[in-house]
Amino acid sequence: MQTTIVPYERIPAGEWDAFVRGTPGGTFFHLTGWKDVLERAFGFRSCYLGARRDGAMVGALPLFELRSILGGTTLLSVPFAVEGGICAVDDEARRALDATALNLYRERKAKHLELRKPTDEENMAAIPRKQRRMVRVGQQSGLTSRAGFDDLDAFHDLYARSVHQLGTPVFPRRYFQLLCERFPEECALLTVRHGDTPVAAVLSFFFNDTVMPYYAGSRREYFRQAVNDFLYWELMRYARERGCTAFDFGRSKKGTGAYDFKCHWGFDPQPLRYRVYVPAGQAAVERSMSSEGMQFLRKAWTRLPLGLTKLLGPPLIRRFGALYT
């Protein structure tokens, strides 16, 4: 039987997610809940593609169209996600989805098409001695942790503080609320306190046997108490209690403080393979936050009051989302 590509609207409810959960290469970011969350939180236009053969689903490709004044139109799978490219049972289905995505890219005259291919992650490595010492610093400082969505306001404030210090716009609270509502079993919010004060928090994603800390924030004044080390150790403990056997620390650019922090835990970094299609003779659109112009904007952003960044951040993300994906 020939493989045919059909739009998401022609796939029965629940079949997509069942296929993703049961297919090697399927990830949390392939689940249809992301379609609901990103459409409602940012107004992004989705164009999900499914592959069928002999009546059965054999492939899935979540795809979004992002438009930016600076970067033009981008076709991307999936915004703000580490993974989420083609999930397929065989090469035939993968080629069919690839070809259809390329046709969409040409029809919509997009600047580029980016498919974020899933990669297998190794099991969590043993924690190095230095990190064990840092965790003990946090324990001896009286830090405690608890899981629960009722700390969403505290999490958003901590997250906003951290991205403000990095010079990047804050995502709206509604985005995180929608994630927790749409993925109540796959999301977990862990908050660290010093006494009654929330000092760090992380929103993590759970898929099969893997946990992925994805959005986090902390108070800089508690760095001496090793609050971030304690936070991730507590998340590892919590994930093991839930039966997870793998810890995916997510993506970070080489040479950054976040990258170094993760390497100190003993994790083995793996390159993420993104395929970008552009017209012949043209270079891919540069979306690096390290350019001279972006560095100037980031420094200016850090000088704005925290409250103002919470107001300005969401509309900036909505308008220039392709720069922050």
Side-chain angles (χ1 to χ4, degrees):
M1 292 290 291
Q2 184 178 4
T3 299
T4 58
I5 304 301
V6 298
Y8 171 80
E9 290 74 18
R10 291 174 54 187
I11 299 173
E15 183 180 4
W16 180 292
D17 285 351
F19 171 77
V20 168
R21 294 181 187 278
T23 303
T27 73
F28 173 66
F29 299 104
H30 286 91
L31 296 176
T32 57
W34 277 95
K35 181 178 184 294
D36 300 336
V37 168
L38 293 176
E39 286 177 344
R40 293 171 62 187
F42 300 104
F44 293 157
R45 179 183 178 186
S46 66
C47 39
Y48 277 38
L49 303 172
R52 304 190 77 86
R53 187 188 309 139
D54 196 21
M57 193 169 176
V58 293
L61 173 59
L63 203 58
F64 288 84
E65 180 179 322
L66 279 67
R67 297 183 179 183
S68 169
I69 295 176
L70 299 179
T73 299
T74 296
L75 288 178
L76 176 65
S77 67
V78 171
F80 316 128
V82 171
E83 302 172 315
I86 292 176
C87 173
V89 298
D90 54 30
D91 288 338
E92 180 183 338
R94 189 172 294 106
R95 286 194 296 268
L97 286 168
D98 236 354
T100 305
L102 279 171
N103 286 336
L104 277 175
Y105 150 75
R106 297 186 185 103
E107 290 172 4
R108 301 187 180 184
K109 298 180 180 180
K111 290 294 184 180
H112 75 279
L113 164 67
E114 184 172 315
L115 306 181
R116 297 179 168 180
K117 181 180 178 181
T119 57
D120 293 333
E121 301 293 336
E122 298 184 357
N123 289 336
M124 183 176 62
I127 298 175
R129 181 180 302 175
K130 179 181 179 181
Q131 294 310 121
R132 292 199 298 269
R133 181 178 65 81
M134 296 302 291
V135 170
R136 287 195 291 270
V137 169
Q139 292 170 333
Q140 294 166 1
S141 299
L143 300 178
T144 60
S145 70
R146 76 173 189 183
F149 294 141
D150 53 341
D151 284 328
L152 188 61
D153 286 337
F155 158 77
H156 188 256
D157 179 69
L158 291 164
Y159 160 77
R161 291 172 183 271
S162 292
V163 296
H164 179 225
Q165 292 163 359
L166 293 173
T168 57
V170 60
F171 286 4
R173 181 190 182 282
R174 174 174 168 78
Y175 170 58
F176 301 111
Q177 181 177 349
L178 288 170
L179 280 174
C180 296
E181 291 176 353
R182 189 60 179 79
F183 300 109
E185 301 300 323
E186 289 87 0
C187 286
L189 180 57
L190 190 75
T191 306
V192 171
R193 280 178 164 75
H194 185 260
D196 294 329
T197 304
V199 294
V202 58
L203 180 64
S204 303
F205 302 144
F206 288 77
F207 190 83
N208 292 339
D209 61 352
T210 300
V211 58
M212 178 186 294
Y214 213 72
Y215 296 106
S218 59
R219 287 181 174 269
R220 184 174 292 273
E221 58 266 34
Y222 283 86
F223 281 7
R224 289 186 177 181
Q225 283 88 348
V227 63
N228 289 321
D229 301 271
F230 181 81
L231 173 69
Y232 289 109
W233 169 246
E234 289 296 293
L235 175 61
M236 292 176 192
R237 292 178 60 242
Y238 176 73
R240 285 198 297 272
E241 292 174 359
R242 289 187 50 157
C244 291
T245 59
F247 190 98
D248 182 347
F249 231 144
R251 65 180 179 183
S252 290
K253 290 188 176 181
K254 193 172 183 179
T256 64
Y259 178 90
D260 294 338
F261 175 81
K262 295 172 183 179
C263 287
H264 290 161
W265 281 85
F267 286 85
D268 182 18
Q270 300 291 330
L272 291 170
R273 299 183 291 273
Y274 297 163
R275 295 182 296 148
V276 179
Y277 296 90
V278 295
Q282 295 188 23
V285 177
E286 176 59 47
R287 293 188 286 124
S288 172
M289 297 294 291
S290 60
S291 65
E292 184 175 343
M294 290 303 298
Q295 287 297 319
F296 172 79
L297 292 175
R298 292 177 68 173
K299 289 180 180 178
W301 187 262
T302 61
R303 296 188 178 97
L304 295 177
L306 177 63
L308 183 60
T309 65
K310 290 181 179 180
L311 292 174
L312 297 179
L316 283 175
I317 292 291
R318 189 176 296 112
R319 196 69 180 270
F320 303 100
L323 295 174
Y324 302 100
T325 59

